[in-house]
Amino acid sequence: MFISNAYAADAATSAQQGGTMELIFMLVIFGLIFYFMIFRPQSKRVKEHKSLMSSLSKGDEVLTSGGILGKIAKISDENDYVLLSLNDTTQITIKKDYIAAVLPKGSIQSL
């Protein structure tokens, strides 16, 4: 009411320009946080899992993502399935992607 129109318009224009720069700065900061805290660790985990899948061989003792321990009896490369031997008589077929870890030799016998 006591401020002239010229001063009010000038203040609004400068606030709007500063807001644009702050918005760009905040978007860059959020992009960096997303990259370093979410995208980069996830891509590292995917790369480690792919190397684990390529290093599987017959006779390896593995742990599945469902918690099943078994020994690899057969690997089917064309359709990415693995035949797991749980004991002498029981065998199951699972997809390679569900193998979470390769265990040291003899770990199933120690249980």
Side-chain angles (χ1 to χ4, degrees):
M1 170 153 79
F2 294 111
I3 300 174
S4 68
N5 290 336
Y7 290 130
D10 188 36
T13 305
S14 66
Q16 184 179 13
Q17 289 174 350
T20 304
M21 291 303 290
E22 289 174 6
L23 179 66
I24 291 172
F25 181 70
M26 290 300 289
L27 286 173
V28 168
I29 295 296
F30 282 130
L32 289 173
I33 289 171
F34 177 77
Y35 176 75
F36 284 109
M37 295 192 76
I38 297 171
F39 183 73
R40 192 168 176 240
Q42 181 64 26
S43 64
K44 186 177 176 182
R45 269 185 242 120
V46 167
K47 188 163 65 166
E48 288 173 357
H49 192 259
K50 281 185 182 181
S51 69
L52 174 73
M53 293 300 105
S54 65
S55 69
L56 291 176
S57 63
K58 183 178 176 181
D60 285 344
E61 296 178 0
V62 295
L63 173 70
T64 66
S65 58
I68 298 174
L69 294 171
K71 186 180 273 192
I72 296 178
K74 181 181 173 186
I75 297 176
S76 176
D77 287 330
E78 65 252 4
N79 53 8
D80 293 332
Y81 284 97
V82 173
L83 185 67
L84 274 184
S85 176
L86 303 180
N87 56 25
D88 294 337
T89 58
T90 309
Q91 292 183 338
I92 59 171
T93 303
I94 64 165
K95 199 153 172 60
K96 257 187 184 180
D97 298 338
Y98 292 107
I99 294 176
V102 176
L103 303 173
K105 299 279 184 191
S107 60
I108 293 176
Q109 295 296 329
S110 66
L111 296 175

XYZ file of all heavy atoms in Angstrom:
852
model
N 0.819 -1.169 0.000
C 0.000 0.000 0.000
C 0.875 1.250 0.000
O 0.591 2.174 -0.723
C -0.913 -0.074 1.232
C -1.656 1.160 1.512
S -3.181 0.879 2.365
C -2.738 0.652 4.004
N 1.947 1.288 0.791
C 2.841 2.453 0.819
C 4.023 2.294 -0.124
O 4.790 3.212 -0.292
C 3.355 2.683 2.242
C 2.257 3.077 3.191
C 1.851 2.214 4.192
C 1.605 4.300 3.065
C 0.842 2.553 5.052
C 0.597 4.639 3.927
C 0.206 3.770 4.928
N 4.182 1.098 -0.711
C 5.303 0.856 -1.623
C 4.845 1.212 -3.026
O 3.765 0.822 -3.461
C 5.752 -0.606 -1.571
C 6.191 -0.987 -0.162
C 6.863 -0.874 -2.565
C 6.500 -2.445 -0.010
N 5.683 1.931 -3.749
C 5.293 2.290 -5.114
C 5.350 1.055 -6.002
O 6.046 0.086 -5.724
C 6.218 3.378 -5.667
O 7.512 2.849 -5.846
N 4.635 1.092 -7.087
C 4.526 -0.042 -7.991
C 5.862 -0.416 -8.619
O 6.132 -1.571 -8.879
C 3.506 0.251 -9.081
C 2.092 0.288 -8.536
O 1.815 -0.311 -7.507
N 1.206 0.993 -9.224
N 6.716 0.529 -8.872
C 8.006 0.259 -9.498
C 8.883 -0.583 -8.587
O 9.539 -1.519 -9.036
C 8.700 1.557 -9.846
N 8.909 -0.256 -7.301
C 9.721 -1.036 -6.368
C 9.150 -2.442 -6.194
O 9.904 -3.414 -6.109
C 9.801 -0.348 -5.003
C 10.615 0.915 -5.015
C 10.107 2.075 -4.477
C 11.893 0.931 -5.549
C 10.846 3.246 -4.482
C 12.638 2.085 -5.561
C 12.115 3.243 -5.026
O 12.847 4.380 -5.029
N 7.867 -2.576 -6.150
C 7.241 -3.885 -5.975
C 7.506 -4.774 -7.183
O 7.788 -5.957 -7.046
C 5.749 -3.731 -5.731
N 7.440 -4.249 -8.380
C 7.683 -5.025 -9.589
C 9.142 -5.436 -9.669
O 9.464 -6.551 -10.070
C 7.284 -4.224 -10.822
N 10.044 -4.566 -9.272
C 11.467 -4.872 -9.311
C 11.823 -5.973 -8.308
O 12.600 -6.874 -8.615
C 12.278 -3.610 -9.011
C 13.764 -3.832 -9.231
O 14.109 -4.579 -10.174
O 14.571 -3.282 -8.459
N 11.231 -5.966 -7.152
C 11.493 -6.985 -6.140
C 10.960 -8.341 -6.588
O 11.594 -9.380 -6.367
C 10.869 -6.583 -4.813
N 9.814 -8.363 -7.223
C 9.243 -9.619 -7.709
C 10.098 -10.220 -8.820
O 10.291 -11.436 -8.876
C 7.819 -9.396 -8.194
N 10.650 -9.397 -9.689
C 11.482 -9.887 -10.782
C 12.780 -10.474 -10.257
O 13.199 -11.552 -10.683
C 11.796 -8.735 -11.762
O 10.583 -8.164 -12.201
C 12.569 -9.246 -12.959
N 13.412 -9.821 -9.289
C 14.665 -10.339 -8.750
C 14.432 -11.620 -7.943
O 15.267 -12.518 -7.953
C 15.362 -9.287 -7.887
O 14.591 -9.013 -6.737
N 13.311 -11.722 -7.246
C 13.001 -12.935 -6.493
C 12.751 -14.103 -7.434
O 13.129 -15.229 -7.154
C 11.795 -12.710 -5.598
N 12.131 -13.824 -8.572
C 11.846 -14.875 -9.529
C 13.139 -15.375 -10.166
O 13.315 -16.568 -10.370
C 10.888 -14.360 -10.602
C 10.458 -15.434 -11.581
C 9.496 -14.903 -12.628
O 9.346 -13.694 -12.767
N 8.882 -15.793 -13.348
N 14.074 -14.528 -10.484
C 15.335 -14.949 -11.073
C 16.155 -15.768 -10.074
O 16.750 -16.762 -10.422
C 16.143 -13.729 -11.523
C 15.554 -13.049 -12.734
C 16.288 -11.757 -13.068
O 17.104 -11.284 -12.289
N 15.975 -11.197 -14.214
N 16.179 -15.354 -8.836
C 16.890 -16.111 -7.808
C 16.247 -17.465 -7.579
O 16.923 -18.452 -7.316
N 14.947 -17.550 -7.678
C 14.241 -18.821 -7.499
C 14.585 -19.821 -8.589
O 14.676 -21.020 -8.344
N 14.795 -19.342 -9.805
C 15.148 -20.217 -10.921
C 16.535 -20.822 -10.702
O 16.731 -22.012 -10.905
C 15.112 -19.432 -12.243
O 13.826 -18.846 -12.393
C 15.393 -20.342 -13.419
N 17.466 -20.001 -10.282
C 18.815 -20.505 -10.023
C 18.818 -21.483 -8.850
O 19.509 -22.495 -8.889
C 19.779 -19.347 -9.742
C 20.069 -18.491 -10.959
S 20.735 -19.454 -12.328
C 22.343 -19.828 -11.671
N 18.041 -21.197 -7.827
C 17.953 -22.103 -6.687
C 17.321 -23.428 -7.094
O 17.745 -24.496 -6.644
C 17.141 -21.467 -5.560
C 17.848 -20.330 -4.867
C 16.954 -19.629 -3.865
O 15.829 -20.101 -3.622
O 17.402 -18.610 -3.316
N 16.321 -23.359 -7.968
C 15.672 -24.578 -8.447
C 16.653 -25.435 -9.241
O 16.723 -26.663 -9.026
C 14.460 -24.225 -9.313
C 13.703 -25.407 -9.912
C 13.051 -26.215 -8.797
C 12.668 -24.923 -10.896
N 17.427 -24.829 -10.112
C 18.412 -25.581 -10.893
C 19.463 -26.182 -9.974
O 19.856 -27.348 -10.125
C 19.051 -24.668 -11.965
C 18.009 -24.332 -13.038
C 20.269 -25.343 -12.600
C 18.467 -23.295 -14.025
N 19.924 -25.398 -9.003
C 20.913 -25.879 -8.048
C 20.371 -27.070 -7.254
O 21.071 -28.077 -7.069
C 21.324 -24.739 -7.104
C 22.362 -25.128 -6.109
C 23.665 -25.387 -6.502
C 22.040 -25.245 -4.764
C 24.634 -25.751 -5.589
C 22.989 -25.611 -3.836
C 24.288 -25.857 -4.245
N 19.134 -26.997 -6.796
C 18.533 -28.092 -6.036
C 18.358 -29.348 -6.896
O 18.563 -30.474 -6.430
C 17.185 -27.672 -5.455
C 17.294 -26.654 -4.338
S 18.238 -27.257 -2.950
C 17.117 -28.443 -2.296
N 17.981 -29.177 -8.176
C 17.841 -30.324 -9.072
C 19.185 -31.020 -9.287
O 19.261 -32.254 -9.334
C 17.236 -29.900 -10.401
C 15.749 -29.581 -10.373
C 15.300 -29.019 -11.715
C 14.942 -30.812 -10.024
N 20.252 -30.243 -9.414
C 21.589 -30.814 -9.576
C 21.986 -31.580 -8.310
O 22.506 -32.700 -8.388
C 22.618 -29.714 -9.917
C 24.038 -30.229 -9.795
C 22.366 -29.169 -11.310
N 21.719 -30.991 -7.155
C 22.049 -31.662 -5.894
C 21.277 -32.978 -5.759
O 21.845 -34.018 -5.405
C 21.765 -30.738 -4.682
C 22.686 -29.537 -4.702
C 21.868 -31.492 -3.369
C 24.146 -29.866 -4.540
N 19.970 -32.955 -6.055
C 19.171 -34.183 -5.973
C 19.647 -35.223 -6.989
O 19.632 -36.420 -6.717
C 17.687 -33.895 -6.164
C 17.036 -33.331 -4.945
C 16.262 -32.183 -5.038
C 17.184 -33.919 -3.716
C 15.657 -31.650 -3.917
C 16.585 -33.398 -2.590
C 15.815 -32.255 -2.691
N 20.057 -34.768 -8.171
C 20.597 -35.695 -9.167
C 21.863 -36.373 -8.690
O 22.045 -37.580 -8.864
N 22.753 -35.620 -8.059
C 23.985 -36.194 -7.529
C 23.705 -37.163 -6.382
O 24.325 -38.226 -6.300
C 24.925 -35.080 -7.056
C 25.564 -34.246 -8.163
C 26.329 -33.079 -7.572
C 26.463 -35.105 -9.033
N 22.773 -36.808 -5.511
C 22.403 -37.704 -4.410
C 21.820 -38.998 -4.967
O 22.168 -40.095 -4.520
C 21.415 -37.018 -3.451
C 22.135 -35.928 -2.660
C 20.765 -38.020 -2.509
C 21.216 -35.041 -1.848
N 20.952 -38.893 -5.966
C 20.359 -40.077 -6.589
C 21.437 -40.965 -7.199
O 21.420 -42.181 -7.034
C 19.353 -39.655 -7.662
C 18.752 -40.804 -8.411
C 17.757 -41.569 -7.850
C 19.202 -41.132 -9.679
C 17.207 -42.637 -8.528
C 18.667 -42.195 -10.367
C 17.665 -42.949 -9.789
N 22.397 -40.336 -7.887
C 23.444 -41.114 -8.544
C 24.322 -41.840 -7.531
O 24.559 -43.043 -7.650
C 24.300 -40.206 -9.433
C 25.452 -40.933 -10.074
C 25.238 -41.786 -11.149
C 26.741 -40.792 -9.596
C 26.281 -42.477 -11.724
C 27.794 -41.471 -10.169
C 27.565 -42.307 -11.237
O 28.605 -43.001 -11.794
N 24.823 -41.126 -6.522
C 25.788 -41.721 -5.602
C 25.161 -42.614 -4.541
O 25.825 -43.498 -4.003
C 26.625 -40.637 -4.927
C 27.680 -40.071 -5.837
C 27.564 -38.795 -6.342
C 28.769 -40.834 -6.192
C 28.526 -38.283 -7.184
C 29.738 -40.331 -7.039
C 29.613 -39.048 -7.529
N 23.899 -42.421 -4.205
C 23.304 -43.229 -3.143
C 22.386 -44.333 -3.653
O 22.113 -45.287 -2.921
C 22.545 -42.331 -2.175
C 23.472 -41.387 -1.438
S 22.682 -40.580 -0.078
C 22.638 -41.894 1.097
N 21.900 -44.229 -4.877
C 20.955 -45.227 -5.380
C 21.473 -45.917 -6.634
O 21.624 -47.132 -6.677
C 19.575 -44.584 -5.649
C 18.997 -44.056 -4.349
C 18.629 -45.585 -6.293
C 17.758 -43.234 -4.516
N 21.755 -45.166 -7.683
C 22.078 -45.759 -8.977
C 23.427 -46.467 -8.983
O 23.539 -47.604 -9.437
C 22.049 -44.680 -10.068
C 22.302 -45.206 -11.436
C 21.339 -45.952 -12.087
C 23.513 -44.984 -12.063
C 21.575 -46.456 -13.342
C 23.764 -45.487 -13.317
C 22.789 -46.220 -13.960
N 24.460 -45.826 -8.471
C 25.805 -46.393 -8.502
C 25.929 -47.678 -7.677
O 26.463 -48.680 -8.182
C 26.804 -45.344 -8.036
C 28.234 -45.704 -8.288
C 29.113 -44.480 -8.075
N 30.493 -44.836 -8.211
C 31.393 -44.702 -7.249
N 31.049 -44.200 -6.088
N 32.628 -45.049 -7.452
N 25.454 -47.724 -6.417
C 25.537 -48.991 -5.677
C 24.713 -50.113 -6.304
O 25.130 -51.273 -6.298
C 24.988 -48.631 -4.295
C 25.148 -47.178 -4.171
C 25.006 -46.636 -5.543
N 23.557 -49.768 -6.866
C 22.723 -50.792 -7.488
C 23.404 -51.367 -8.724
O 23.384 -52.574 -8.943
C 21.352 -50.217 -7.852
C 20.419 -51.216 -8.477
C 20.043 -52.342 -7.537
O 20.062 -52.194 -6.328
N 19.722 -53.486 -8.101
N 24.020 -50.526 -9.542
C 24.710 -51.034 -10.724
C 25.925 -51.873 -10.328
O 26.261 -52.843 -11.012
C 25.113 -49.890 -11.649
O 26.046 -49.052 -11.012
N 26.559 -51.534 -9.220
C 27.683 -52.335 -8.722
C 27.205 -53.715 -8.293
O 27.845 -54.724 -8.599
C 28.350 -51.614 -7.554
C 29.596 -52.277 -7.053
C 30.225 -51.462 -5.939
C 31.439 -52.165 -5.365
N 32.040 -51.430 -4.271
N 26.057 -53.781 -7.588
C 25.498 -55.071 -7.180
C 25.118 -55.919 -8.383
O 25.324 -57.143 -8.384
C 24.271 -54.856 -6.294
C 24.610 -54.789 -4.841
C 23.362 -54.706 -3.981
N 23.436 -53.444 -3.280
C 22.571 -52.462 -3.347
N 21.484 -52.600 -4.060
N 22.751 -51.347 -2.689
N 24.560 -55.301 -9.407
C 24.165 -56.036 -10.613
C 25.403 -56.602 -11.299
O 25.399 -57.761 -11.756
C 23.360 -55.121 -11.563
C 23.215 -55.739 -12.935
C 22.001 -54.823 -10.976
N 26.471 -55.826 -11.356
C 27.697 -56.303 -11.998
C 28.308 -57.468 -11.212
O 28.747 -58.457 -11.806
C 28.707 -55.160 -12.109
C 29.917 -55.529 -12.935
C 30.741 -54.352 -13.420
C 31.394 -53.571 -12.341
N 32.429 -52.646 -12.829
N 28.297 -57.395 -9.891
C 28.803 -58.492 -9.066
C 27.958 -59.750 -9.241
O 28.488 -60.867 -9.296
C 28.821 -58.088 -7.595
C 29.894 -57.091 -7.242
C 29.780 -56.595 -5.819
O 28.819 -56.984 -5.105
O 30.642 -55.801 -5.413
N 26.634 -59.592 -9.344
C 25.751 -60.752 -9.520
C 25.972 -61.396 -10.887
O 25.952 -62.626 -11.005
C 24.292 -60.327 -9.343
C 23.360 -61.483 -9.212
N 22.593 -61.935 -10.260
C 23.081 -62.302 -8.166
C 21.881 -62.967 -9.876
N 22.164 -63.206 -8.596
N 26.200 -60.589 -11.924
C 26.475 -61.149 -13.250
C 27.779 -61.934 -13.254
O 27.866 -62.992 -13.879
C 26.531 -60.040 -14.297
C 25.182 -59.554 -14.739
C 25.289 -58.540 -15.849
C 23.919 -58.047 -16.238
N 23.983 -57.070 -17.333
N 28.794 -61.430 -12.555
C 30.054 -62.168 -12.496
C 29.881 -63.467 -11.696
O 30.503 -64.480 -12.015
C 31.167 -61.309 -11.895
O 30.936 -61.074 -10.532
N 29.026 -63.443 -10.667
C 28.729 -64.657 -9.911
C 28.035 -65.676 -10.809
O 28.369 -66.863 -10.778
C 27.844 -64.336 -8.702
C 27.330 -65.529 -7.899
C 28.463 -66.130 -7.080
C 26.190 -65.123 -7.012
N 27.096 -65.243 -11.623
C 26.368 -66.154 -12.511
C 27.301 -66.771 -13.548
O 27.158 -67.932 -13.906
C 25.240 -65.418 -13.244
C 24.105 -64.942 -12.371
S 23.277 -66.255 -11.511
C 23.902 -66.036 -9.874
N 28.251 -65.996 -14.040
C 29.154 -66.541 -15.057
C 30.198 -67.487 -14.465
O 30.756 -68.312 -15.175
C 29.841 -65.398 -15.809
O 30.670 -64.674 -14.920
N 30.454 -67.376 -13.153
C 31.465 -68.227 -12.535
C 30.906 -69.529 -11.958
O 31.658 -70.320 -11.402
C 32.186 -67.459 -11.421
O 31.316 -67.237 -10.336
N 29.613 -69.763 -12.086
C 29.022 -70.995 -11.555
C 29.510 -72.206 -12.339
O 29.666 -72.149 -13.563
C 27.493 -70.940 -11.630
C 26.795 -69.965 -10.701
C 25.306 -69.975 -10.970
C 27.069 -70.309 -9.257
N 29.754 -73.299 -11.620
C 30.153 -74.538 -12.288
C 29.548 -75.730 -11.543
O 29.069 -75.589 -10.414
C 31.683 -74.654 -12.328
O 32.201 -74.720 -11.021
N 29.600 -76.876 -12.179
C 29.038 -78.090 -11.590
C 29.823 -78.441 -10.327
O 31.044 -78.368 -10.294
C 29.119 -79.236 -12.596
C 28.498 -80.504 -12.114
C 28.578 -81.585 -13.168
C 28.035 -82.877 -12.610
N 28.116 -83.963 -13.570
N 29.097 -78.780 -9.257
C 29.729 -79.152 -7.999
C 29.827 -78.014 -6.997
O 30.182 -78.243 -5.846
N 29.518 -76.794 -7.405
C 29.529 -75.662 -6.469
C 28.375 -75.787 -5.489
O 27.275 -76.184 -5.858
C 29.400 -74.321 -7.206
C 30.664 -73.913 -7.912
O 31.730 -74.478 -7.612
O 30.591 -73.004 -8.764
N 28.630 -75.436 -4.251
C 27.575 -75.399 -3.239
C 27.046 -73.968 -3.184
O 27.824 -73.030 -3.027
C 28.121 -75.854 -1.889
C 28.564 -77.300 -1.919
C 29.157 -77.759 -0.612
O 29.227 -76.958 0.346
O 29.550 -78.926 -0.548
N 25.727 -73.831 -3.326
C 25.136 -72.502 -3.451
C 23.998 -72.296 -2.463
O 23.425 -73.253 -1.935
C 24.610 -72.259 -4.890
C 25.741 -72.243 -5.894
C 23.575 -73.272 -5.282
N 23.699 -71.042 -2.233
C 22.568 -70.619 -1.416
C 21.635 -69.836 -2.320
O 22.069 -68.904 -3.011
C 23.049 -69.732 -0.260
C 21.981 -69.062 0.590
C 21.239 -70.099 1.428
C 22.608 -68.013 1.482
N 20.358 -70.201 -2.354
C 19.396 -69.482 -3.182
C 18.821 -68.309 -2.404
O 18.975 -68.210 -1.192
C 18.251 -70.402 -3.635
O 17.492 -70.787 -2.493
C 18.776 -71.623 -4.358
N 18.138 -67.429 -3.107
C 17.517 -66.282 -2.448
C 16.363 -66.715 -1.551
O 15.956 -65.970 -0.667
C 17.035 -65.266 -3.473
O 16.115 -65.866 -4.354
N 15.854 -67.919 -1.717
C 14.815 -68.457 -0.850
C 15.356 -69.180 0.368
O 14.597 -69.644 1.203
N 16.684 -69.290 0.468
C 17.292 -69.913 1.627
C 17.577 -71.394 1.477
O 17.854 -72.068 2.453
N 17.515 -71.918 0.274
C 17.769 -73.340 0.039
C 19.256 -73.544 -0.243
O 19.845 -72.842 -1.057
C 16.932 -73.859 -1.150
C 15.447 -73.724 -0.829
C 17.288 -75.297 -1.488
C 14.544 -74.059 -1.988
N 19.858 -74.521 0.449
C 21.252 -74.892 0.213
C 21.279 -76.116 -0.683
O 20.513 -77.051 -0.493
C 21.954 -75.228 1.523
C 22.140 -74.105 2.519
C 22.658 -74.668 3.835
C 23.098 -73.088 1.987
N 22.170 -76.103 -1.655
C 22.280 -77.260 -2.524
C 23.568 -77.250 -3.304
O 24.317 -76.273 -3.305
N 23.801 -78.371 -3.982
C 24.992 -78.524 -4.813
C 24.538 -78.559 -6.268
O 23.550 -79.228 -6.596
C 25.712 -79.818 -4.454
C 27.031 -79.994 -5.171
C 27.693 -81.301 -4.782
C 28.506 -81.059 -3.535
N 29.405 -82.196 -3.236
N 25.231 -77.844 -7.121
C 24.854 -77.786 -8.537
C 25.168 -79.133 -9.188
O 26.303 -79.594 -9.170
C 25.593 -76.654 -9.261
C 25.162 -75.309 -8.684
C 25.326 -76.707 -10.761
C 25.854 -74.117 -9.291
N 24.129 -79.754 -9.756
C 24.285 -81.038 -10.435
C 24.415 -80.854 -11.945
O 25.127 -81.609 -12.613
C 23.107 -81.950 -10.125
N 23.729 -79.834 -12.477
C 23.754 -79.613 -13.924
C 23.417 -78.153 -14.208
O 22.547 -77.576 -13.547
C 22.732 -80.524 -14.609
C 22.669 -80.402 -16.099
C 21.603 -81.322 -16.673
C 21.433 -81.081 -18.150
N 20.322 -81.852 -18.705
N 24.105 -77.568 -15.179
C 23.833 -76.190 -15.590
C 23.375 -76.219 -17.035
O 24.057 -76.765 -17.901
C 25.078 -75.296 -15.453
C 25.514 -75.213 -13.995
C 24.804 -73.907 -16.001
C 26.784 -74.431 -13.780
N 22.224 -75.637 -17.296
C 21.698 -75.535 -18.653
C 21.952 -74.113 -19.143
O 21.310 -73.174 -18.691
C 20.202 -75.850 -18.660
O 19.691 -75.651 -19.942
N 22.904 -73.956 -20.058
C 23.297 -72.622 -20.499
C 22.298 -71.973 -21.449
O 22.149 -70.761 -21.459
C 24.671 -72.674 -21.182
C 25.786 -72.891 -20.191
O 25.632 -72.461 -19.034
O 26.806 -73.489 -20.575
N 21.598 -72.776 -22.240
C 20.720 -72.169 -23.245
C 19.489 -71.503 -22.645
O 18.972 -70.536 -23.188
C 20.294 -73.184 -24.309
C 19.431 -74.314 -23.797
C 20.183 -75.625 -23.765
O 21.365 -75.645 -24.067
O 19.530 -76.628 -23.447
N 18.990 -71.968 -21.504
C 17.800 -71.334 -20.924
C 18.003 -70.910 -19.478
O 17.048 -70.640 -18.778
C 16.574 -72.236 -21.070
C 16.810 -73.628 -20.528
O 17.826 -73.885 -19.915
N 15.873 -74.512 -20.772
N 19.246 -70.846 -19.006
C 19.604 -70.293 -17.697
C 18.935 -70.993 -16.517
O 18.488 -70.345 -15.582
C 19.301 -68.789 -17.635
C 20.195 -68.000 -18.559
O 21.315 -68.455 -18.823
O 19.787 -66.922 -19.001
N 18.859 -72.305 -16.549
C 18.340 -73.065 -15.416
C 19.442 -73.924 -14.820
O 20.390 -74.319 -15.504
C 17.159 -73.950 -15.834
C 15.891 -73.168 -16.023
C 15.495 -72.743 -17.279
C 15.095 -72.843 -14.940
C 14.333 -72.014 -17.448
C 13.932 -72.122 -15.108
C 13.557 -71.706 -16.357
O 12.406 -70.980 -16.518
N 19.312 -74.201 -13.537
C 20.300 -74.986 -12.809
C 19.575 -76.110 -12.094
O 18.518 -75.897 -11.492
C 21.046 -74.098 -11.778
C 21.951 -74.927 -10.897
C 21.824 -73.008 -12.468
N 20.139 -77.310 -12.136
C 19.606 -78.441 -11.398
C 20.385 -78.537 -10.097
O 21.596 -78.750 -10.094
C 19.757 -79.732 -12.204
C 19.129 -80.976 -11.609
C 17.614 -80.850 -11.600
C 19.546 -82.201 -12.393
N 19.679 -78.310 -8.971
C 20.303 -78.344 -7.648
C 20.016 -79.682 -6.990
O 18.883 -80.141 -6.973
C 19.738 -77.253 -6.744
C 20.345 -75.882 -6.797
C 19.700 -74.987 -5.753
C 21.817 -75.904 -6.610
N 21.040 -80.265 -6.421
C 20.895 -81.500 -5.664
C 20.863 -81.135 -4.191
O 21.852 -80.658 -3.640
C 22.070 -82.421 -5.975
O 21.999 -83.573 -5.200
N 19.705 -81.355 -3.550
C 19.563 -81.030 -2.134
C 20.133 -82.121 -1.250
O 20.703 -81.854 -0.202
C 18.098 -80.785 -1.796
C 17.407 -79.683 -2.622
C 15.965 -79.549 -2.198
C 18.132 -78.377 -2.490
N 19.942 -83.363 -1.660
C 20.558 -84.523 -1.006
C 20.728 -85.594 -2.077
O 20.643 -85.300 -3.258
C 19.733 -85.005 0.201
C 18.301 -85.333 -0.152
O 18.005 -85.650 -1.293
N 17.430 -85.266 0.830
N 20.940 -86.842 -1.693
C 21.205 -87.891 -2.675
C 20.008 -88.194 -3.566
O 20.170 -88.600 -4.714
C 21.656 -89.170 -1.967
C 23.007 -88.979 -1.289
O 23.758 -88.078 -1.720
O 23.288 -89.720 -0.328
N 18.797 -87.985 -3.067
C 17.607 -88.372 -3.827
C 16.787 -87.192 -4.330
O 15.984 -87.359 -5.232
C 16.690 -89.250 -2.960
O 16.325 -88.521 -1.788
C 17.394 -90.534 -2.570
N 16.969 -86.013 -3.765
C 16.126 -84.871 -4.117
C 16.886 -83.871 -4.970
O 17.967 -83.414 -4.597
C 15.624 -84.163 -2.843
O 15.056 -85.114 -1.966
C 14.616 -83.098 -3.192
N 16.277 -83.544 -6.116
C 16.851 -82.530 -6.999
C 15.748 -81.559 -7.395
O 14.603 -81.952 -7.600
C 17.460 -83.162 -8.243
C 18.683 -83.993 -7.953
C 19.297 -84.537 -9.217
O 18.646 -84.650 -10.255
N 20.580 -84.890 -9.137
N 16.097 -80.296 -7.501
C 15.141 -79.284 -7.945
C 15.779 -78.468 -9.064
O 17.003 -78.374 -9.163
C 14.695 -78.349 -6.797
C 15.880 -77.626 -6.185
C 13.920 -79.111 -5.744
C 15.499 -76.539 -5.199
N 14.934 -77.885 -9.896
C 15.398 -77.011 -10.963
C 15.011 -75.588 -10.610
O 13.851 -75.307 -10.301
C 14.740 -77.407 -12.303
O 15.040 -78.779 -12.569
C 15.256 -76.554 -13.432
N 15.989 -74.694 -10.645
C 15.730 -73.276 -10.378
C 16.370 -72.432 -11.475
O 17.222 -72.906 -12.230
C 16.275 -72.835 -9.001
C 17.788 -72.952 -8.948
C 15.638 -73.611 -7.881
C 18.407 -72.210 -7.795
N 15.943 -71.203 -11.534
C 16.535 -70.258 -12.458
C 17.845 -69.746 -11.873
O 17.973 -69.564 -10.674
C 15.563 -69.105 -12.692
C 15.840 -68.319 -13.924
C 14.552 -67.697 -14.421
C 14.777 -66.737 -15.528
N 15.393 -67.306 -16.692
N 18.838 -69.529 -12.723
C 20.156 -69.082 -12.280
C 20.096 -67.778 -11.484
O 20.884 -67.564 -10.572
C 21.057 -68.837 -13.489
C 22.061 -69.884 -13.780
C 22.946 -69.374 -14.900
C 23.930 -70.406 -15.317
N 24.788 -69.919 -16.399
N 19.167 -66.914 -11.831
C 19.084 -65.598 -11.205
C 18.779 -65.667 -9.719
O 19.039 -64.714 -8.992
C 18.012 -64.755 -11.890
C 18.316 -64.512 -13.351
O 19.495 -64.607 -13.727
O 17.374 -64.224 -14.111
N 18.209 -66.780 -9.260
C 17.826 -66.895 -7.853
C 18.950 -67.417 -6.958
O 18.740 -67.617 -5.774
C 16.584 -67.772 -7.708
C 15.369 -67.103 -8.294
C 14.817 -67.523 -9.484
C 14.804 -66.016 -7.651
C 13.718 -66.892 -10.023
C 13.697 -65.381 -8.178
C 13.164 -65.826 -9.364
O 12.077 -65.189 -9.896
N 20.125 -67.628 -7.510
C 21.269 -68.020 -6.695
C 21.854 -66.753 -6.088
O 22.217 -65.810 -6.789
C 22.311 -68.779 -7.532
C 21.713 -70.104 -7.980
C 23.593 -68.987 -6.738
C 22.593 -70.906 -8.891
N 21.933 -66.725 -4.755
C 22.393 -65.534 -4.051
C 23.882 -65.574 -3.745
O 24.542 -64.539 -3.764
C 21.606 -65.352 -2.757
N 24.430 -66.748 -3.443
C 25.837 -66.821 -3.061
C 26.394 -68.209 -3.328
O 25.663 -69.202 -3.313
C 26.001 -66.492 -1.586
N 27.679 -68.263 -3.578
C 28.395 -69.527 -3.689
C 29.086 -69.755 -2.360
O 29.812 -68.897 -1.858
C 29.424 -69.490 -4.841
C 30.219 -70.772 -4.881
C 28.734 -69.256 -6.166
N 28.844 -70.917 -1.764
C 29.392 -71.246 -0.453
C 30.727 -71.975 -0.593
O 30.988 -72.592 -1.626
C 28.400 -72.126 0.313
C 27.007 -71.535 0.516
C 26.088 -72.564 1.125
C 27.071 -70.297 1.369
N 31.561 -71.937 0.432
C 32.818 -72.706 0.391
C 32.536 -74.207 0.348
O 31.522 -74.674 0.859
C 33.520 -72.340 1.697
C 32.838 -71.123 2.205
C 31.467 -71.113 1.629
N 33.440 -74.942 -0.262
C 33.287 -76.402 -0.372
C 33.187 -77.025 1.006
O 33.913 -76.658 1.930
C 34.468 -77.010 -1.112
C 34.638 -76.518 -2.520
C 33.724 -77.218 -3.452
C 34.017 -76.737 -4.883
N 33.043 -77.166 -5.807
N 32.251 -77.965 1.170
C 32.082 -78.683 2.416
C 31.179 -77.984 3.432
O 30.999 -78.479 4.534
N 30.602 -76.856 3.077
C 29.760 -76.152 4.035
C 28.433 -76.848 4.257
O 27.854 -76.760 5.337
C 29.544 -74.705 3.602
O 28.927 -74.658 2.338
N 27.923 -77.579 3.263
C 26.669 -78.305 3.441
C 26.886 -79.491 4.378
O 26.056 -79.786 5.234
C 26.098 -78.766 2.078
C 25.678 -77.547 1.249
C 24.923 -79.700 2.257
C 25.185 -77.876 -0.131
N 28.030 -80.153 4.258
C 28.323 -81.299 5.119
C 28.526 -80.874 6.567
O 28.238 -81.626 7.497
C 29.582 -82.036 4.622
C 29.422 -82.662 3.268
C 28.366 -83.766 3.271
O 28.163 -84.443 4.260
N 27.702 -83.939 2.128
N 29.002 -79.657 6.778
C 29.256 -79.197 8.145
C 27.968 -78.842 8.887
O 27.981 -78.719 10.099
C 30.198 -77.987 8.135
O 29.550 -76.884 7.515
N 26.879 -78.667 8.148
C 25.608 -78.363 8.799
C 25.029 -79.636 9.313
O 24.378 -79.896 10.162
C 24.638 -77.702 7.823
C 25.072 -76.342 7.303
C 24.093 -75.860 6.257
C 25.154 -75.347 8.436
